[in-house]
Amino acid sequence: MSIPFIDLKAQYNALKTSIDSRIHKVLDHGAYVNGPEVVELEQTLAKYVGTKHCLTIANGTDALWVPLMALGIGQGDEVITTAFSFIATAETIVLAGAKPIYVDIDPKTFNIDPAKIEAAITPRTKAIMPVSLYGQIADMDKINAIAKKHNLHVIEDAAQSFGARYNDKRSGSMSIATGTSFFPAKPLGCYGDGGAIFTNDDSLAKIIKEIREHGSESRYYHTRLGINGRLDTIQCAVLLAKMERYDWELEQRQRVADRYNNAFSSIKADGFSTPFVASNCKSAWAQYTLTVKDRAGFQKKMQDAGVPTSVHYPRIMPDQPWYKEHTADPKQELPVARWAAEHVISIPIYPDMNDATQDKVIAAIKAAF
């Protein structure tokens, strides 16, 4: 039995009729850019998240970069963010012209540690960009309180947490702007690159929309610097079909995670841990990420057992070669983030995972210890 890390084929088979129908509707009307499905998806997603505005965008990177541009954050400014994330988090801050200021992570959630944020604030700080890692929302109440005290913007990087909850609020609804990703492997993924920006600010939504369309207020009238950031109509059609069962998919991700948690509760190996989810949070379970003492040895055992694994992420952002040279403080230690980068490993999780497949993964992991 071959075990996929993520099974997008099973998901497509379950939604084939709806996906095919929606794609063919786009092919029939021919509005491949800015077609009616774009507005329909934006309305659907805004209602789902609980915000006034949703603006679809070409990818999850643009979903973070454009809000920074829209808020006027640029040259000479600083944005505080976690040290432990996919590189796009720091990349967008640099692309906007600002400097990322890295903060260590909470040892349980692996999200940014709010207790470390205030010490990183300087007169140049303009925003905080927390990442809702692995599907769990960062501690937004504490982060927003710090931001309010120091008159800073908060931009949530929700690339992995669409649909997650924090105090019964959905990811994307608790900051001036949030960017999420619809990369195919995300909890809600399209069939290519895609993303969305959420905001309750009318003025900011207007600016983001203009930036997304080459900075144009109207056709051939460009009032600001912009990019080509539109999301294709066909991708919106795919996402509309996938939204039909998205709540069910989140329930199934939770089911799989619960079975893993129960199965691994008996493992007492040194350095081994299962994901911690705060009591006021519901994760979207973008990943199910363990920590292990000997990652290379564990990966080899999983490979031999036919179980795919992935590392999210093997190196913290300030240690990436270009960022180490251009953005990092060489004196900063970031011990928790560096420990995580050396010990985390993700195992298969997806909504259509059946018990038999999961039991094979569980058996392999138990055998490894």
Side-chain angles (χ1 to χ4, degrees):
M1 180 173 58
S2 177
I3 299 173
F5 190 75
I6 296 170
D7 193 348
L8 296 178
K9 288 183 179 179
Q11 183 193 52
Y12 171 64
N13 288 334
L15 291 166
K16 178 177 171 58
T17 301
S18 182
I19 289 173
D20 289 359
S21 173
R22 283 191 173 272
I23 288 175
H24 279 287
K25 186 177 179 182
V26 176
L27 296 175
D28 287 339
H29 66 56
Y32 304 123
V33 177
N34 288 339
E37 286 80 4
V38 177
V39 173
E40 183 184 355
L41 179 65
E42 289 178 341
Q43 292 173 344
T44 299
L45 297 180
K47 183 179 179 181
Y48 186 82
V49 170
T51 56
K52 288 177 69 175
H53 304 280
C54 168
L55 298 107
T56 54
I57 200 151
N59 54 69
T61 305
D62 288 353
L64 299 176
W65 181 23
V66 169
L68 289 166
M69 293 175 67
L71 290 165
I73 295 170
Q75 200 67 40
D77 296 334
E78 294 176 351
V79 178
I80 293 170
T81 192
T82 174
F84 190 56
S85 179
F86 179 62
I87 201 62
T89 307
E91 181 179 55
T92 56
I93 295 167
V94 177
L95 285 170
K99 180 180 180 181
I101 303 298
Y102 305 105
V103 169
D104 211 348
I105 58 173
D106 179 275
K108 288 185 175 181
T109 66
F110 295 164
N111 282 326
I112 191 170
D113 186 344
K116 302 275 198 326
I117 292 175
E118 278 199 281
I121 295 173
T122 74
R124 294 178 296 279
T125 307
K126 293 294 187 293
I128 305 168
M129 186 180 283
V131 177
S132 296
L133 196 70
Y134 301 152
Q136 179 174 198
I137 301 171
D139 197 339
M140 295 300 289
D141 282 354
K142 290 181 181 177
I143 293 166
N144 283 332
I146 294 166
K148 184 177 181 181
K149 178 181 175 182
H150 296 274
N151 195 28
L152 305 174
H153 296 301
V154 177
I155 302 163
E156 182 193 356
D157 179 344
Q160 300 177 25
S161 60
F162 182 78
R165 290 182 177 273
Y166 173 95
N167 291 338
D168 214 32
K169 294 179 181 177
R170 289 201 193 272
S171 181
S173 66
M174 292 166 281
S175 60
I176 191 168
T178 292
T180 195
S181 170
F182 300 134
F183 182 76
K186 301 297 183 186
L188 179 65
C190 56
Y191 289 162
D193 279 309
I197 301 165
F198 299 92
T199 184
N200 286 310
D201 188 302
D202 296 340
S203 174
L204 190 65
K206 181 178 183 293
I207 296 169
I208 289 169
K209 187 174 183 179
E210 291 174 5
I211 292 174
R212 179 183 67 178
E213 299 263 358
H214 296 286
S216 59
E217 188 177 275
S218 57
R219 194 177 188 191
Y220 301 136
Y221 186 67
H222 306 273
T223 55
R224 62 183 74 251
L225 178 65
I227 65 169
N228 180 6
R230 298 175 301 239
L231 182 60
D232 297 343
T233 309
I234 283 179
Q235 300 297 353
C236 293
V238 170
L239 290 165
L240 280 164
K242 288 195 175 189
M243 279 299 292
E244 293 172 10
R245 71 163 203 170
Y246 190 61
D247 279 336
W248 176 88
E249 290 195 359
L250 289 176
E251 290 171 3
Q252 296 310 302
R253 287 179 177 273
Q254 185 64 58
R255 173 188 62 81
V256 175
D258 287 342
R259 291 190 85 240
Y260 276 145
N261 290 340
N262 291 334
F264 301 147
S265 61
S266 60
I267 298 176
K268 306 300 181 186
D270 185 29
F272 178 85
S273 70
T274 54
F276 172 85
V277 177
S279 60
N280 63 331
C281 290
K282 287 188 177 180
S283 178
W285 293 106
Q287 310 293 346
Y288 188 93
T289 303
L290 306 167
T291 65
V292 294
K293 187 175 182 180
D294 175 15
R295 185 167 65 198
F298 180 78
Q299 278 185 299
K300 178 64 167 60
K301 289 177 181 178
M302 293 302 100
Q303 185 178 1
D304 292 344
V307 175
T309 59
S310 188
V311 178
H312 305 96
Y313 299 94
R315 183 176 280 111
I316 64 172
M317 293 189 295
D319 284 351
Q320 294 288 353
W322 189 91
Y323 294 81
K324 189 173 184 178
E325 181 180 348
H326 293 90
T327 71
D329 176 0
K331 298 176 183 176
Q332 195 174 17
E333 295 182 352
L334 303 166
V336 184
R338 285 200 172 93
W339 183 92
E342 293 174 358
H343 295 89
V344 295
I345 187 162
S346 303
I347 61 175
I349 185 169
Y350 50 90
D352 296 284
M353 191 178 207
N354 59 40
D355 290 355
T357 303
Q358 188 177 14
D359 286 344
K360 186 175 181 182
V361 177
I362 290 169
I365 290 171
K366 284 188 169 183
F369 292 100

